[in-house]
Amino acid sequence: MSDSGTLRRRALRNVLRAAEYTLALVGGVCLVAYGGACARAALTQQRESAAFDEALRARQQQIEAESPNPSEWSRVRVAKYEASLEQPVRAIGRLEIPDVDLSVMVLEGTDEHTLDRAVGHIAGTARPGEPGNLAIAGHRDGYFRGLRHVQTGDAISFTTLDGVARYQVDKIEVVKPGRTDVLAPSDEPTLTLITCYPFYHVGDAPSRYIVHARQVAFEPWSLDARNDVAAR
C-alpha cells in the first residue's frame, strides 16, 4: 500500500469527520432555535392568559358589586386591580374547543408576529356577541393543528370581557386561498376559523381549511345585559 493512498484515506476520513461535526453543530443550533421559538410562544400565551384573566376578574367585580368598596379589599388585591386597569390587554378573548383539547388566547390582527404567538382576529370581521361573521386565523402547524380533529356538532366557546359566546360547528370545508367569501358578513352571529391545508404540507399550502360555526348562545357578564338578551 502506497504512502499516497494512505494519506488520501486519512484526508477523506478527516473531511468526513469534520462534516459530521458540522452537521451535528447545525442540528444542535436548529434544535435550540426551535426550542426558543416554542418557549417564546408558550410564554406569550401564559402572559396574555394571565392578563386577560386578571382583567376579566376586575370586570366581573365591577359588574357584580353595585358600589365597589376597595377599602374592604386586601392591599394586594387593590394593587393588582389598579394595575390591571392601567395596562391595556392585547388579548381580546380566549377560544376553546373542548373536544379537541384546544384553548388559545386570541390577539388582534393576523401579522406573523401575532400568529407566531397566538391566533388572530381578522380585522373587519365581527366581534363576539355581535351579528355578523367573526373570523379567526391561526397556523396549521401551531395552535390550529387541532382543527384537523374538529367535527360537525362540536362546541366552541369564545370568552371575552363582555361575556361568553357559544358556538356549534355546522360545516367544515377546504377551499382555495382566493375564496375570500368565507369572510363575508352574515345576518346572524357566526364564527369562522381559518388555517392552511394540508396540515402536514411542507412549504406554501395550496388550500385553506375552514371551520364554520353558528352562535347558539351569548352569556354576558352583566345581569342587566342577560335580562336584555332573554327579553329579545
Side-chain angles (χ1 to χ4, degrees), residues 197-221:
Y197 184 84
F199 285 95
Y200 292 95
H201 182 80
V202 177
D204 293 336
S207 303
R208 299 293 180 265
Y209 194 83
I210 313 296
V211 175
H212 299 276
R214 59 183 177 85
Q215 183 175 298
V216 295
F218 182 75
E219 303 165 3
W221 300 123

Side-chain angles (χ1 to χ4, degrees), residues 129 225 227-232:
N227 293 334
D228 290 341
V229 171
R232 291 176 186 173

Side-chain angles (χ1 to χ4, degrees), residues 47 51 54-55 79-90:
R47 183 174 61 248
E54 189 64 29
K80 288 186 176 182
Y81 172 76
E82 292 176 348
S84 72
L85 297 179
E86 295 172 358
Q87 298 180 3
V89 180
R90 293 184 60 236

